[in-house]
Amino acid sequence: MKILVNEEVHDVGVATLDALLRELGYGDACVATAVDGDFVAAARRGARQLHDGCRVEILAPMQGG
Amino acid sequence: MTLFYGTPLSSRLMLGTAQYPSPEILAEAVRNANAGVVTVSLRRESAGQRAGQAFWNLIRDLGVPVLPNTAGCHSVREAVTTAQMAREVFGTDWIKLEVIGESDTLQPDMFALVEAARILSEDGFRVFPYMTEDLVGAERLLRAGCEVLMPWGAPIGSGKGLNNLFGLRALRAHFPDIPMVIDAGIGVPSHAAQAMELGYDAVLINTAVARAGNPVKMARAFGMAVEAGRMAYIADPMEARDMAVPSTPTIGQAVLA
Protein backbone atom coordinates (compact mmCIF):
# COMPACT_ATOMS: atom_id res chain seq x y z
CA MET A 1 0.00 0.00 0.00
CA LYS A 2 1.00 3.58 -0.54
CA ILE A 3 1.65 5.72 2.53
CA LEU A 4 2.63 9.37 2.72
CA VAL A 5 5.58 9.71 5.10
CA ASN A 6 6.64 13.29 5.78
CA GLU A 7 4.89 14.16 2.49
CA GLU A 8 6.84 11.58 0.47
CA VAL A 9 5.04 8.58 -1.03
CA HIS A 10 6.31 5.18 0.11
CA ASP A 11 5.08 1.84 -1.23
CA VAL A 12 5.31 -0.46 1.77
CA GLY A 13 4.21 -3.94 2.75
CA VAL A 14 3.85 -3.40 6.48
CA ALA A 15 0.67 -3.15 8.52
CA THR A 16 1.66 -1.20 11.64
CA LEU A 17 3.38 2.07 12.42
CA ASP A 18 6.04 0.26 14.40
CA ALA A 19 6.90 -1.95 11.42
CA LEU A 20 6.93 1.06 9.11
CA LEU A 21 9.51 2.83 11.26
CA ARG A 22 11.75 -0.23 11.22
CA GLU A 23 11.37 -0.69 7.45
CA LEU A 24 12.29 2.93 6.77
CA GLY A 25 15.34 2.82 9.04
CA TYR A 26 14.02 4.76 12.05
CA GLY A 27 14.19 1.72 14.32
CA ASP A 28 16.14 3.26 17.21
CA ALA A 29 15.78 6.94 16.29
CA CYS A 30 14.61 9.56 18.77
CA VAL A 31 11.40 10.52 16.96
CA ALA A 32 7.74 11.25 17.65
CA THR A 33 4.99 10.09 15.34
CA ALA A 34 1.54 11.10 14.17
CA VAL A 35 -0.88 9.37 11.83
CA ASP A 36 -3.50 11.38 9.97
CA GLY A 37 -2.86 14.33 12.28
CA ASP A 38 -3.19 12.41 15.54
CA PHE A 39 -0.26 11.79 17.88
CA VAL A 40 0.68 8.13 18.28
CA ALA A 41 2.76 7.47 21.39
CA ALA A 42 5.78 5.20 21.04
CA ALA A 43 4.14 2.56 23.21
CA ARG A 44 1.15 2.38 20.87
CA ARG A 45 2.97 2.19 17.54
CA GLY A 46 2.78 -1.60 17.44
CA ALA A 47 -0.99 -1.51 17.70
CA ARG A 48 -1.52 1.37 15.28
CA GLN A 49 -2.70 -0.09 11.97
CA LEU A 50 -1.90 1.78 8.77
CA HIS A 51 -4.14 2.04 5.75
CA ASP A 52 -3.63 2.87 2.12
CA GLY A 53 -3.21 6.61 1.67
CA CYS A 54 -2.67 7.46 5.32
CA ARG A 55 -0.38 10.31 6.30
CA VAL A 56 2.46 9.60 8.69
CA GLU A 57 4.59 12.34 10.26
CA ILE A 58 7.94 11.45 11.80
CA LEU A 59 9.47 14.33 13.76
CA ALA A 60 12.74 14.74 15.64
CA PRO A 61 14.37 17.38 17.85
CA MET A 62 15.35 20.50 15.97
CA GLN A 63 16.57 24.02 16.70
CA GLY A 64 13.81 26.37 17.76
CA GLY A 65 13.14 29.87 19.08
CA MET B 1 12.62 34.05 43.54
CA THR B 2 10.35 33.64 40.53
CA LEU B 3 8.99 30.15 39.98
CA PHE B 4 7.84 28.91 36.61
CA TYR B 5 5.30 26.20 37.37
CA GLY B 6 7.02 25.66 40.68
CA THR B 7 10.50 25.53 39.18
CA PRO B 8 13.20 28.15 39.84
CA LEU B 9 15.50 28.96 36.93
CA SER B 10 19.22 29.59 37.19
CA SER B 11 18.82 32.82 35.21
CA ARG B 12 16.09 35.01 33.75
CA LEU B 13 17.35 34.71 30.19
CA MET B 14 15.67 32.14 27.97
CA LEU B 15 17.57 31.50 24.78
CA GLY B 16 16.42 30.11 21.46
CA THR B 17 18.62 27.59 19.66
CA ALA B 18 17.87 28.38 15.99
CA GLN B 19 19.85 30.20 13.28
CA TYR B 20 23.35 29.97 14.82
CA PRO B 21 26.30 29.72 12.43
CA SER B 22 27.29 26.34 13.90
CA PRO B 23 26.39 23.94 16.75
CA GLU B 24 29.62 24.91 18.50
CA ILE B 25 28.72 28.60 18.47
CA LEU B 26 25.23 27.75 19.73
CA ALA B 27 26.70 25.83 22.67
CA GLU B 28 29.16 28.60 23.47
CA ALA B 29 26.38 31.22 23.28
CA VAL B 30 24.20 29.26 25.72
CA ARG B 31 27.10 29.07 28.16
CA ASN B 32 28.04 32.75 27.81
CA ALA B 33 24.44 33.91 28.19
CA ASN B 34 24.12 31.80 31.33
CA ALA B 35 20.74 30.83 29.89
CA GLY B 36 18.19 29.49 32.35
CA VAL B 37 16.18 27.76 29.62
CA VAL B 38 16.75 26.89 25.98
CA THR B 39 13.92 26.56 23.49
CA VAL B 40 13.75 23.70 21.04
CA SER B 41 11.40 22.46 18.35
CA LEU B 42 10.41 19.46 16.23
CA ARG B 43 10.80 19.01 12.51
CA ARG B 44 10.64 16.18 10.00
CA GLU B 45 13.50 13.74 10.33
CA SER B 46 15.22 11.88 7.52
CA ALA B 47 16.04 8.29 8.47
CA GLY B 48 19.48 8.55 6.89
CA GLN B 49 20.68 11.86 8.31
CA ARG B 50 19.57 11.68 11.96
CA ALA B 51 20.30 15.39 12.34
CA GLY B 52 17.77 15.61 15.14
CA GLN B 53 19.59 13.11 17.29
CA ALA B 54 22.89 15.00 17.03
CA PHE B 55 21.19 18.25 17.96
CA TRP B 56 19.41 16.67 20.92
CA ASN B 57 22.69 15.20 22.18
CA LEU B 58 24.27 18.64 22.06
CA ILE B 59 21.41 20.24 23.98
CA ARG B 60 21.36 17.53 26.64
CA ASP B 61 25.08 17.95 27.18
CA LEU B 62 24.51 21.63 28.02
CA GLY B 63 22.45 20.62 31.05
CA VAL B 64 19.97 23.50 30.65
CA PRO B 65 16.20 22.91 31.00
CA VAL B 66 14.43 22.79 27.63
CA LEU B 67 11.22 24.51 26.60
CA PRO B 68 9.85 22.90 23.41
CA ASN B 69 7.74 25.10 21.14
CA THR B 70 4.91 24.63 18.67
CA ALA B 71 6.39 27.07 16.17
CA GLY B 72 4.76 27.13 12.76
CA CYS B 73 1.37 25.88 13.96
CA HIS B 74 -1.65 27.76 12.66
CA SER B 75 -4.47 25.73 14.19
CA VAL B 76 -5.47 24.28 17.55
CA ARG B 77 -5.18 20.73 16.24
CA GLU B 78 -1.68 21.24 14.84
CA ALA B 79 -0.49 22.87 18.05
CA VAL B 80 -1.99 20.22 20.33
CA THR B 81 -0.57 17.34 18.30
CA THR B 82 2.85 19.01 18.11
CA ALA B 83 2.84 19.56 21.88
CA GLN B 84 2.01 15.90 22.47
CA MET B 85 4.85 14.83 20.19
CA ALA B 86 7.25 17.24 21.90
CA ARG B 87 6.37 15.95 25.35
CA GLU B 88 7.33 12.45 24.35
CA VAL B 89 10.58 13.34 22.59
CA PHE B 90 11.88 15.94 25.06
CA GLY B 91 10.53 14.33 28.22
CA THR B 92 8.99 17.53 29.62
CA ASP B 93 5.43 18.75 30.08
CA TRP B 94 6.54 22.35 29.51
CA ILE B 95 5.40 23.72 26.17
CA LYS B 96 5.84 27.14 24.59
CA LEU B 97 2.49 27.31 22.86
CA GLU B 98 2.46 29.19 19.56
CA VAL B 99 -0.64 29.36 17.40
CA ILE B 100 0.04 31.84 14.64
CA GLY B 101 -2.88 33.85 13.26
CA GLU B 102 -1.24 36.13 10.72
CA SER B 103 1.67 35.25 8.47
CA ASP B 104 3.31 38.65 7.91
CA THR B 105 3.62 39.57 11.57
CA LEU B 106 3.45 36.04 13.04
CA GLN B 107 0.92 37.52 15.42
CA PRO B 108 -0.59 34.96 17.80
CA ASP B 109 -4.19 33.89 17.21
CA MET B 110 -5.46 34.61 20.72
CA PHE B 111 -8.74 32.75 20.22
CA ALA B 112 -7.07 29.53 19.07
CA LEU B 113 -4.35 30.02 21.68
CA VAL B 114 -6.86 30.01 24.54
CA GLU B 115 -8.57 26.90 23.19
CA ALA B 116 -5.29 25.04 22.71
CA ALA B 117 -4.07 26.15 26.15
CA ARG B 118 -7.22 24.75 27.77
CA ILE B 119 -6.87 21.38 26.01
CA LEU B 120 -3.19 21.09 26.87
CA SER B 121 -3.56 22.24 30.48
CA GLU B 122 -6.30 19.66 31.05
CA ASP B 123 -3.91 17.08 29.59
CA GLY B 124 -1.26 17.92 32.19
CA PHE B 125 0.91 20.31 30.15
CA ARG B 126 2.55 23.37 31.70
CA VAL B 127 1.74 25.95 29.07
CA PHE B 128 3.87 29.01 28.26
CA PRO B 129 1.55 30.85 25.83
CA TYR B 130 3.11 33.14 23.22
CA MET B 131 0.55 35.95 23.18
CA THR B 132 -0.10 39.57 22.38
CA GLU B 133 -0.27 42.02 25.29
CA ASP B 134 -4.09 41.78 25.27
CA LEU B 135 -5.48 42.01 28.83
CA VAL B 136 -8.67 40.10 28.12
CA GLY B 137 -6.75 37.39 26.31
CA ALA B 138 -4.41 37.14 29.29
CA GLU B 139 -7.35 36.69 31.65
CA ARG B 140 -8.76 33.93 29.42
CA LEU B 141 -5.40 32.17 29.27
CA LEU B 142 -5.13 32.18 33.05
CA ARG B 143 -8.64 30.77 33.30
CA ALA B 144 -7.65 28.10 30.76
CA GLY B 145 -4.99 26.89 33.16
CA CYS B 146 -1.87 28.87 32.24
CA GLU B 147 0.30 29.97 35.17
CA VAL B 148 2.84 31.84 33.03
CA LEU B 149 2.26 34.45 30.30
CA MET B 150 4.60 35.29 27.42
CA PRO B 151 3.60 38.50 25.64
CA TRP B 152 5.46 39.57 22.54
CA GLY B 153 7.65 42.66 22.54
CA ALA B 154 7.41 42.97 18.75
CA PRO B 155 6.99 40.54 15.83
CA ILE B 156 9.29 37.50 15.94
CA GLY B 157 12.70 38.22 14.47
CA SER B 158 12.00 41.93 13.93
CA GLY B 159 14.41 43.27 16.57
CA LYS B 160 12.10 46.24 17.14
CA GLY B 161 12.12 46.06 20.92
CA LEU B 162 9.06 46.79 23.05
CA ASN B 163 6.48 48.13 20.60
CA ASN B 164 3.71 48.84 23.07
CA LEU B 165 5.16 50.03 26.34
CA PHE B 166 1.80 51.15 27.67
CA GLY B 167 0.23 47.77 26.96
CA LEU B 168 3.10 45.86 28.51
CA ARG B 169 3.05 48.08 31.62
CA ALA B 170 -0.70 47.57 31.93
CA LEU B 171 -0.35 43.81 31.59
CA ARG B 172 2.34 43.70 34.26
CA ALA B 173 0.24 45.86 36.58
CA HIS B 174 -2.94 43.80 36.08
CA PHE B 175 -1.31 40.48 36.92
CA PRO B 176 1.44 41.32 39.41
CA ASP B 177 1.78 37.76 40.71
CA ILE B 178 1.89 35.90 37.41
CA PRO B 179 5.37 35.05 36.07
CA MET B 180 5.67 36.86 32.75
CA VAL B 181 8.25 36.57 30.00
CA ILE B 182 8.75 39.00 27.12
CA ASP B 183 9.08 36.76 24.10
CA ALA B 184 9.97 37.93 20.61
CA GLY B 185 11.04 41.18 19.02
CA ILE B 186 13.97 42.02 21.26
CA GLY B 187 16.89 43.24 19.16
CA VAL B 188 19.59 44.57 21.46
CA PRO B 189 20.49 44.19 25.15
CA SER B 190 18.95 47.54 26.09
CA HIS B 191 15.54 46.17 25.00
CA ALA B 192 16.02 43.23 27.35
CA ALA B 193 17.06 45.52 30.19
CA GLN B 194 13.98 47.66 29.56
CA ALA B 195 11.73 44.60 29.78
CA MET B 196 13.29 43.64 33.08
CA GLU B 197 13.05 47.21 34.39
CA LEU B 198 9.30 47.07 33.69
CA GLY B 199 9.11 44.17 36.12
CA TYR B 200 8.93 41.27 33.69
CA ASP B 201 10.34 38.10 35.15
CA ALA B 202 12.39 36.94 32.17
CA VAL B 203 13.00 37.49 28.47
CA LEU B 204 13.21 35.01 25.63
CA ILE B 205 15.65 35.84 22.85
CA ASN B 206 16.84 34.02 19.77
CA THR B 207 17.46 35.98 16.57
CA ALA B 208 19.17 38.91 18.30
CA VAL B 209 21.89 36.58 19.56
CA ALA B 210 22.06 34.04 16.75
CA ARG B 211 22.22 36.63 13.94
CA ALA B 212 24.67 38.98 15.65
CA GLY B 213 28.09 39.32 14.08
CA ASN B 214 29.51 37.70 17.20
CA PRO B 215 26.76 35.57 18.77
CA VAL B 216 28.87 34.49 21.75
CA LYS B 217 29.73 38.04 22.74
CA MET B 218 26.13 39.15 22.18
CA ALA B 219 24.89 36.29 24.34
CA ARG B 220 27.09 37.53 27.16
CA ALA B 221 25.87 41.11 26.65
CA PHE B 222 22.26 39.94 26.91
CA GLY B 223 23.03 38.00 30.06
CA MET B 224 24.49 41.12 31.65
CA ALA B 225 21.58 43.30 30.48
CA VAL B 226 18.99 40.95 31.93
CA GLU B 227 20.79 40.91 35.24
CA ALA B 228 21.20 44.70 35.27
CA GLY B 229 17.56 45.28 34.34
CA ARG B 230 16.32 42.98 37.07
CA MET B 231 18.56 44.61 39.65
CA ALA B 232 17.31 48.04 38.58
CA TYR B 233 13.70 46.91 38.96
CA ILE B 234 14.37 45.64 42.46
CA ALA B 235 16.20 48.89 43.28
CA ASP B 236 12.96 50.82 42.53
CA PRO B 237 13.78 53.36 39.78
CA MET B 238 12.95 57.05 40.23
CA GLU B 239 9.85 58.55 38.63
CA ALA B 240 10.46 60.34 35.33
CA ARG B 241 9.67 64.08 35.38
CA ASP B 242 8.73 66.52 32.68
CA MET B 243 10.86 69.36 34.06
CA ALA B 244 14.44 69.63 35.26
CA VAL B 245 15.22 69.45 38.97
CA PRO B 246 18.77 70.46 39.98
CA SER B 247 20.75 67.62 41.45
CA THR B 248 23.42 69.90 42.94
CA PRO B 249 22.12 71.70 46.07
CA THR B 250 21.16 75.34 45.42
CA ILE B 251 21.41 76.34 49.10
CA GLY B 252 24.68 78.13 49.74
CA GLN B 253 25.26 78.91 46.10
CA ALA B 254 27.35 82.10 45.68
CA VAL B 255 25.84 85.16 44.04
CA LEU B 256 28.41 86.07 41.43
CA ALA B 257 26.34 87.76 38.76
Side-chain angles (χ1 to χ4, degrees), chain B residues 1 10 21 28 31 88 93 112 131 135 138 143 163 178 180 182 208 235:
Chain B
M1 179 182 293
S10 64
E28 203 54 29
R31 282 191 280 265
E88 182 175 80
D93 53 14
M131 55 180 286
L135 289 178
R143 271 197 248 160
N163 265 357
I178 301 297
M180 283 200 254
I182 296 284

Side-chain angles (χ1 to χ4, degrees), chain B:
Chain B
M1 179 182 293
T2 305
L3 300 177
F4 296 85
Y5 289 103
T7 303
L9 301 180
S10 64
S11 97
R12 295 171 181 275
L13 176 52
M14 301 181 175
L15 194 61
T17 57
Q19 305 183 72
Y20 290 82
S22 71
E24 294 74 24
I25 291 175
L26 159 63
E28 203 54 29
V30 171
R31 282 191 280 265
N32 272 267
N34 185 30
V37 161
V38 291
T39 55
V40 292
S41 195
L42 286 175
R43 286 293 181 267
R44 287 172 173 162
E45 175 81 319
S46 149
Q49 292 183 335
R50 301 281 181 99
Q53 186 66 59
F55 168 70
W56 185 217
N57 290 343
L58 181 144
I59 294 299
R60 275 193 298 204
D61 287 347
L62 291 170
V64 179
V66 297
L67 175 61
N69 70 27
T70 63
C73 292
H74 285 73
S75 70
V76 172
R77 188 174 188 216
E78 278 180 301
V80 168
T81 302
T82 302
Q84 292 167 333
M85 296 172 88
R87 178 164 62 179
E88 182 175 80
V89 164
F90 294 111
T92 176
D93 53 14
W94 283 17
I95 190 75
K96 177 187 159 185
L97 181 60
E98 294 184 35
V99 188
I100 299 302
E102 205 282 316
S103 294
D104 286 335
T105 57
L106 299 180
Q107 178 168 332
D109 177 340
M110 292 295 286
F111 306 96
L113 186 68
V114 170
E115 191 182 339
R118 180 174 296 109
I119 292 168
L120 291 171
S121 296
E122 286 172 358
D123 191 21
F125 280 90
R126 312 288 190 162
V127 178
F128 293 65
Y130 168 60
M131 55 180 286
T132 65
E133 67 276 26
D134 185 281
L135 289 178
V136 179
E139 175 64 41
R140 298 287 195 279
L141 285 165
L142 295 174
R143 271 197 248 160
C146 296
E147 294 178 19
V148 172
L149 297 175
M150 297 221 300
W152 65 348
I156 294 170
S158 68
K160 295 282 191 186
L162 309 185
N163 265 357
N164 181 0
L165 268 180
F166 169 77
L168 290 171
R169 272 204 196 98
L171 186 66
R172 179 70 282 181
H174 269 72
F175 305 103
D177 300 323
I178 301 297
M180 283 200 254
V181 185
I182 296 284
D183 175 17
I186 287 178
V188 288
S190 57
H191 297 157
Q194 187 181 26
M196 300 306 294
E197 287 164 10
L198 288 179
Y200 279 82
D201 297 285
V203 295
L204 200 167
I205 297 153
N206 190 160
T207 310
V209 170
R211 307 303 293 173
N214 185 329
V216 174
K217 197 164 276 189
M218 189 60 83
R220 186 162 168 72
F222 267 107
M224 296 165 77
V226 167
E227 205 171 313
R230 177 66 183 177
M231 199 177 291
Y233 171 71
I234 290 169
D236 190 13
M238 64 168 280
E239 292 288 329
R241 302 164 174 147
D242 289 332
M243 300 304 231
V245 178
S247 51
T248 302
T250 51
I251 296 173
Q253 185 169 358
V255 179
L256 302 172

